[in-house]
Amino acid sequence: MFILVNLKAYPCDPVAVARAARDVADAHGVRIAVAPQAADLARVEATGVETWAQHVSPVEHGSHTGSTLAEAVEANGAEGTLINHSERRVTLAAVDDALAAARRTDLETIVCANDPEQAGAAAALSPDAVAVEPPALIGGDVSVATADPEIVEGAVAAVNAVDPDVELFCGAGVSTGDDVEAARDLGATGVLLASGVAKAADPRSALEDLVSGI
Ligand SMILES: O=C(CO)COP(=O)(O)O
């Protein structure tokens, strides 16, 4: 199972979380990545943790003030990027262009989707993975795998029907090892989470708990 910790714009210490994630990943042989704010990519990458961008703009080099260029996030240590997160939604054309931007580099890609229908549509654009995250459950205490297992199973089926090479991850409310295990049992090969680590009093213990389910 791949565990991606999205720090969003939470007021946590990205370097402290990154060090904890690196240590837990190394100690347990689990793939854990951290997605900080774009401005924090380089110092998070310097910890040695696998580092991801939260977003890349659907543009090339040029007159695009305020953009997050794929080349720039890669140059600052990102190995992959989220696209179309529920809190950073873009049009279908922009998903396609952001994937093209990522493909100009070596960035891995996860396209987020709200439900199985969107997951199938996202899979048609051939990202490395699709992550299904029901918006109503994001930031809550109950994990998607517990609150709405049909959404995960439906997304697994929808993505497999379109392109079995695209992986299916899930997220929203994931915070414990039991949640990770439940996601895996439903067919997900990774989880996205944020508040369970970024808002935890002790992010290292939260990460230790998460990997206990693998
Ligand atoms: O949006 C998410 C990860 O990208 C999920 O957020 P929570 O883990 O806080 O529900």
Side-chain angles (χ1 to χ4, degrees):
M1 290 289 276
F2 177 41
I3 297 178
L4 177 67
V5 181
N6 174 6
L7 300 184
K8 304 193 175 182
Y10 283 131
C12 61
D13 177 348
V15 172
V17 174
R19 287 195 183 118
R22 172 203 62 198
D23 293 347
V24 173
D26 288 350
H28 296 271
V30 176
R31 185 180 176 200
I32 304 177
V34 173
Q37 290 278 297
D40 295 325
L41 281 167
R43 60 198 189 109
V44 163
E45 191 268 343
T47 68
V49 78
E50 181 175 334
T51 304
W52 278 56
Q54 296 180 8
H55 169 80
V56 291
S57 302
V59 298
E60 302 181 15
H61 283 286
S63 51
H64 307 295
T65 303
S67 299
T68 304
L69 204 63
E71 285 82 352
V73 304
E74 185 181 53
N76 283 279
E79 295 180 41
T81 185
L82 297 175
I83 293 170
N84 194 45
H85 189 276
S86 177
E87 295 148 10
R88 193 68 171 82
R89 300 262 280 169
V90 296
T91 63
L92 184 63
V95 172
D96 203 25
D97 288 347
L99 283 166
R103 287 186 192 117
R104 289 196 308 267
T105 65
D106 283 331
L107 293 172
E108 270 187 56
T109 52
I110 300 174
V111 174
C112 299
N114 289 358
D115 53 38
E117 290 74 20
Q118 290 183 17
L125 299 175
S126 301
D128 294 299
V130 171
V132 66
E133 296 198 289
L137 299 175
I138 290 179
D141 293 332
V142 184
S143 100
V144 57
T146 306
D148 207 341
E150 295 81 13
I151 272 208
V152 182
E153 289 172 329
V156 169
V159 167
N160 271 335
V162 172
D163 185 345
D165 289 335
V166 176
E167 294 198 61
L168 186 283
F169 304 157
C170 66
V174 174
S175 63
T176 67
D178 286 348
D179 297 338
V180 175
E181 196 175 351
R184 185 192 57 200
D185 290 347
L186 292 169
T189 53
V191 291
L192 268 58
L193 71 138
S195 49
V197 168
K199 293 174 81 174
D202 183 351
R204 189 175 290 262
S205 317
L207 286 158
E208 290 279 2
D209 186 2
L210 281 161
V211 301
S212 69
I214 298 176

